[in-house]
Amino acid sequence: MHDVIIIGGGPAGLSAALWCDELGLDTLVLEQGAEIGGQLLWIYNSVKNHLGVEAANGREMRDVFAAQVESAGFDLWTEAAIEMVDLRAKRITLRSGEELQSITIIIATGVRRRKLGVPGEVELTGRGVSESATRDRDLLAGKDVCVVGGGDAGVENALLLAEVCPTVTLVHRSKKLRARSEFVERLQGNHCITTFTEAVLKRIIGDKEVEAVEIQRSGALKPFQMAVRGVLIRIGVEPNTESFRDQVQTDERGYITVTSEQETSIENVFAVGDVSNPLAPTISSAIGAGATAAKVIAARLNSANR
Ligand SMILES: Cc1cc2nc3c(=O)[nH]c(=O)nc-3n(C[C@H](O)[C@H](O)[C@H](O)COP(=O)(O)OP(=O)(O)OC[C@H]3O[C@@H](n4cnc5c(N)ncnc54)[C@H](O)[C@@H]3O)c2cc1C
């Protein structure tokens, strides 16, 4: 029987674990991936907005966190895929068959990039289909590319690619781009970038590599094909809540709703970080929420006079 099982080894889960450990709680972290760090592993730009640690990229920041975590006393299992969770009973079954029991659970499962769900997307990933202009700049340089997504990430990536690609076509579902005005102004002044609003990407075509895309514009009878050699998709994120959604209260987008103590609708089940924070998904907020949950749990278990 553990005091706390934390599901997710990103900044929120690791912060909660450090605090739980320091407060004398028997703590186990379950991370489904092969390594800890969560979204930090997807950040290829420098991170300068987290007080106390500046890093050239997310992995460098992750390494700082990992070094600190290594010397702590809590258990951390990677590649710990969950088969079933009973939040009320605080029972977790791993895909390996192992059964775990805890007094409290902290959900720190973060978010994942949303997929378009169109033919060619999965098949051509890494063969012209990309998620990051910073990471894949050299691979996409000199090629005509299509960027999907009119939020900050989509428009920023289109601007980055326009520095190295002859043409960039930006496709956005709605009438108005959602990106901040400084990005939109730069986009409008860039002659390499063509923007199609009220348009959706229907298909990515290619045998071994991306060769073309099919775009459907609103009001047009048929989609049209356009030759491109790269497709970059940045259409937002969605919370990793499938395993819990039917058990715990969420908002309409699946984010877990919590109290100011980070507690969910189920007693002694907490949620921290991006999975419960669509408003301010940042490293600092995730770390802060982890600390809050740990403090609340420690106070509760100590007052129960175990
Ligand atoms: C490109 C990019 C740039 C960013 N730049 C910044 C920045 O400059 N400054 C900033 O403050 N923030 C930035 N962020 C956001 C920041 O990375 C996140 O807010 C932060 O990582 C959230 O931490 P988290 O622990 O809540 O979730 P995550 O980092 O998403 O970690 C969740 C972890 O849970 C694991 N998990 C999921 N489901 C399960 C399961 N069922 N079982 C076990 N484990 C599971 C995942 O594998 C993952 O390791 C950026 C994010 C991205 C993608």
Side-chain angles (χ1 to χ4, degrees):
M1 172 71 91
H2 299 276
D3 291 331
V4 193
I5 291 182
I6 299 168
I7 308 174
L14 296 177
S15 163
L18 267 183
W19 269 104
C20 285
D21 185 49
E22 182 160 304
L23 295 167
L25 304 175
D26 177 311
T27 307
L28 169 65
V29 179
L30 302 174
E31 166 55 51
Q32 69 180 4
E35 44 181 343
I36 56 168
Q39 289 168 70
L40 296 184
L41 300 171
W42 311 349
I43 306 178
Y44 298 94
N45 297 318
S46 58
V47 186
K48 294 188 174 151
N49 46 28
H50 182 55
L51 191 65
V53 191
E54 268 193 70
N57 52 54
R59 183 169 282 275
E60 193 176 289
M61 183 171 278
R62 191 292 301 259
D63 289 347
V64 175
F65 291 0
Q68 190 176 359
V69 157
E70 245 171 51
S71 56
F74 60 85
D75 287 325
L76 167 63
W77 297 355
T78 51
E79 296 185 321
I82 288 171
E83 180 69 31
M84 208 273 297
V85 186
D86 184 338
L87 290 177
R88 281 192 194 283
K90 316 287 183 286
R91 198 175 307 123
I92 296 174
T93 310
L94 298 183
R95 226 167 270 164
S96 60
E98 195 147 2
E99 301 247 342
L100 303 166
Q101 182 73 53
S102 186
I103 301 171
T104 65
I105 289 178
I106 300 179
I107 300 168
T109 48
V111 298
R112 61 170 176 270
R113 291 230 167 96
R114 191 150 356 117
K115 298 270 182 215
L116 272 176
V118 299
E121 182 181 22
V122 173
E123 301 86 320
L124 294 166
T125 289
R127 294 191 282 143
V129 174
S130 163
E131 285 178 339
S132 168
T134 313
R135 186 190 61 192
D136 295 335
R137 188 183 162 100
D138 290 346
L139 284 174
L140 296 172
K143 296 176 178 169
D144 296 316
V145 296
C146 174
V147 175
V148 188
D152 282 346
V155 175
E156 190 180 15
N157 276 277
L159 289 166
L160 282 171
L161 288 177
E163 291 170 11
V164 293
C165 297
T167 69
V168 177
T169 304
L170 181 73
V171 176
H172 180 53
R173 177 182 284 275
S174 332
K175 205 169 187 167
K176 202 168 173 297
L177 297 171
R178 276 182 294 107
R180 62 180 92 147
S181 55
E182 74 200 65
F183 285 160
V184 176
E185 276 161 26
R186 281 175 57 203
L187 186 85
Q188 283 160 350
N190 193 312
H191 65 275
C192 291
I193 306 176
T194 305
T195 304
F196 290 138
T197 52
E198 293 187 274
V200 290
L201 192 132
K202 302 283 285 183
R203 195 154 70 100
I204 303 169
I205 301 157
D207 186 11
K208 293 196 172 73
E209 300 219 318
V210 171
E211 291 164 16
V213 286
E214 200 170 271
I215 297 170
Q216 174 75 58
R217 298 196 74 178
S218 160
L221 285 178
K222 281 192 196 160
F224 69 94
Q225 279 192 11
M226 190 176 67
V228 292
R229 301 284 307 286
V231 180
L232 191 139
I233 303 164
R234 289 300 287 270
I235 52 168
V237 294
E238 54 194 354
N240 292 317
T241 46
E242 293 68 26
S243 313
F244 324 108
R245 216 171 262 179
D246 299 338
Q247 303 180 53
V248 83
Q249 209 173 73
T250 64
D251 71 9
E252 66 285 351
R253 289 181 295 163
Y255 286 89
I256 298 176
T257 47
V258 290
T259 65
S260 58
E261 296 188 322
Q262 300 298 139
E263 193 163 27
T264 69
S265 54
I266 299 179
E267 198 179 8
N268 291 329
V269 176
F270 297 77
V272 297
D274 287 13
V275 72
S276 60
N277 188 357
L279 258 178
T282 62
I283 301 162
S284 318
S285 320
I287 287 175
T292 301
K295 286 274 199 179
V296 171
I297 291 170
R300 223 175 258 185
L301 295 192
N302 289 338
S303 73
N305 263 340
R306 297 180 302 144

